Amino acid sequence: MVSVGIFNTIALVVFTVAFCWRLDQIRKHGGGFQAIALTVSIAALVIAFVSANGDVVDAIDTLTFTGAARVVFYAMLSLGVAALILVFFFPSPGDTRRRRIGFEAVPLVVALIGLQATMLVTPLDLRTTDLTEWNAQNVAFGLFFLIASCYLGYGFVSCIRSIRRFLRTADGYLKVSLSLLVAGLALLALSSVTQILFVVFGMTSLAHVPWLLRFSQVTAVVGVVLFLMGICYPMVYGKWHAFRSERTRARSEAELVPLWQVVTGAVPEVVLPQPGKQTATERFHRRIIETRDALTQLSPYLSEDFEIADDDTRVTMLYDAADSYTHYGRITGDVRHMLPAEGQGIDADAAPLVRLSRIIAIDQQASAKAVD
């Protein structure tokens, strides 16, 4: 179906971008144990997702051997879970729990290798068609799938329990990201459990439920998608937050210009040298610093009433102070800090300046209209 192909293409592009972002983070901040393990997990689960596509299945089987796509799918799931266990269970090199790696991650990697070897010698009808109750009577093949599925299910459930410890205290975008991770891992665990039930029913002839394997494959693919969405979400949120922040800072920086022109026109020496191209946030910070430096120089010409006056009166007093400073050309008293910040952060520092600048802008517009 065209819609399915479009969805798969979009998903692949998004996940590839996330993988490249992870590699860039490792390049910038170093490839610690957890960072590398998470990157390996993302790569493995992306490959598992892609290998479940019908066209990709045909291509893999044609280029390698019949049934290889099924090998790739379960092998990458096993590798992805093994890497996730390393991420969520061994946070520090000195942690005692890390010595449990032989009991946690290695069996999953062994399952990965064993699945590849087993599929190579499994009869053609077993590795190319969905299992049926008769095919599942092949005890060796059925037992192996039980072992591999149990390991996968155990690994996913363990990761969910580990993430939930962080989810209790998480907030904001981190909570959304962890929730998506838990949902994706839960579906992958459900896929493993469904596969276990399918094999058990087939080997014991308790029921004939051929749809269970298809259900397992669908939940596995959806689980991979949700998991990778959880991985991608911090990156997408960070980019979106940075974009919105730059737009807000650009608007605030433009609003500061009228006040900046008034005070730096009187005290031009506070204007810093032009460093070249800057971001909106950098220009915003620079505008605040220069404005406040100029206000400090003008403070001896501002009476104590400036602190309690309304904003319109403050603007008038600033005009008078700028004229006086220009006329006398020197400071006639002690300087002091003017217009203190209204909270924490750069936006709170700029808030009183922006209010005065807006009034100045209105006055300038009114004067321009009067001249016209």
Side-chain angles (χ1 to χ4, degrees):
M1 295 176 62
V2 176
S3 59
V4 175
I6 294 175
F7 172 79
N8 288 340
T9 302
I10 295 174
L12 179 58
V13 170
V14 172
F15 300 154
T16 302
V17 170
F19 180 67
C20 293
W21 176 70
R22 285 297 313 165
L23 293 178
D24 185 61
Q25 292 296 103
I26 291 177
R27 180 185 63 83
K28 290 181 179 178
H29 307 293
F33 179 77
Q34 285 184 296
I36 294 176
L38 182 58
T39 304
V40 170
S41 178
I42 293 174
L45 293 177
V46 168
I47 294 173
F49 170 80
V50 173
S51 65
N53 182 274
D55 294 334
V56 176
V57 169
D58 295 337
I60 293 176
D61 289 350
T62 301
L63 294 174
T64 53
F65 62 90
T66 305
R70 183 176 287 179
V71 176
V72 173
F73 180 76
Y74 289 109
M76 290 300 101
L77 278 182
S78 299
L79 180 59
V81 175
L84 281 180
I85 286 180
L86 300 183
V87 173
F88 295 117
F89 280 80
F90 311 108
S92 62
D95 196 335
T96 304
R97 297 184 66 185
R98 186 169 178 179
R99 292 197 291 267
R100 292 172 49 199
I101 186 171
F103 302 100
E104 301 283 359
V106 169
L108 291 168
V109 178
V110 172
L112 179 158
I113 298 172
L115 182 60
Q116 291 175 316
T118 302
M119 292 297 267
L120 287 172
V121 298
T122 298
L124 184 64
D125 59 337
L126 288 180
R127 69 187 189 198
T128 58
T129 60
D130 290 345
L131 289 173
T132 66
E133 58 177 335
W134 297 110
N135 291 335
Q137 296 295 335
N138 185 318
V139 177
F141 185 65
L143 285 178
F144 176 81
F145 257 81
L146 285 178
I147 294 171
S149 298
C150 286
Y151 274 131
L152 287 172
Y154 166 75
F156 287 129
V157 171
S158 297
C159 291
I160 291 171
R161 293 178 60 187
S162 181
I163 296 176
R164 286 183 62 189
R165 297 202 308 268
F166 303 101
L167 189 58
R168 295 191 187 99
T169 57
D171 195 16
Y173 79 95
L174 183 59
K175 187 171 185 178
V176 175
S177 176
L178 293 178
S179 298
L180 288 172
L181 288 177
V182 168
L185 294 173
L187 286 176
L188 288 168
L190 178 61
S191 172
S192 298
V193 172
T194 304
Q195 187 171 269
I196 292 171
L197 293 176
F198 177 80
V199 175
V200 170
F201 288 156
M203 293 178 64
T204 59
S205 299
L206 291 175
H208 178 60
V209 281
W211 57 268
L212 278 179
L213 189 59
R214 178 58 57 185
F215 177 79
S216 173
Q217 293 171 340
V218 172
T219 53
V221 171
V222 176
V224 170
V225 171
L226 289 178
F227 172 80
L228 292 173
M229 286 176 61
I231 294 294
C232 295
Y233 187 79
M235 175 193 68
V236 175
Y237 177 86
K239 296 295 184 182
W240 173 246
H241 181 74
F243 172 74
R244 291 186 60 188
S245 178
E246 282 292 291
R247 288 188 59 187
T248 301
R249 297 289 164 77
R251 185 166 56 250
S252 298
E253 187 266 339
E255 288 182 319
L256 275 177
V257 170
L259 174 61
W260 177 85
Q261 289 175 334
V262 170
V263 296
T264 59
V267 195
E269 60 267 22
V270 302
V271 178
L272 301 172
Q274 291 292 337
K277 187 177 181 180
Q278 292 180 304
T279 65
T281 298
E282 290 170 339
R283 294 195 305 271
F284 183 52
H285 285 211
R286 175 193 176 101
R287 194 79 72 185
I288 292 172
I289 293 171
E290 293 174 347
T291 302
R292 286 200 171 279
D293 284 348
L295 285 172
T296 300
Q297 298 299 311
L298 294 175
S299 62
Y301 296 98
L302 295 169
S303 67
E304 297 293 336
D305 293 338
F306 183 84
E307 305 297 335
I308 59 175
D310 58 51
D311 289 336
D312 290 320
T313 304
R314 284 178 173 178
V315 168
T316 302
M317 296 173 73
L318 274 177
Y319 278 125
D320 293 339
D323 291 339
S324 298
Y325 189 95
T326 302
H327 177 72
Y328 291 108
R330 60 186 178 86
I331 298 175
T332 60
D334 294 333
V335 299
R336 66 187 189 275
H337 181 64
M338 308 297 296
L339 299 175
E342 299 179 350
Q344 299 295 322
I346 192 68
D347 294 316
D349 191 21
L353 306 179
V354 170
R355 287 202 307 272
L356 294 185
S357 190
R358 288 170 178 167
I359 296 174
I360 293 173
I362 293 173
D363 290 343
Q364 291 174 346
Q365 291 174 0
S367 299
K369 289 182 179 179
V371 171
D372 294 340

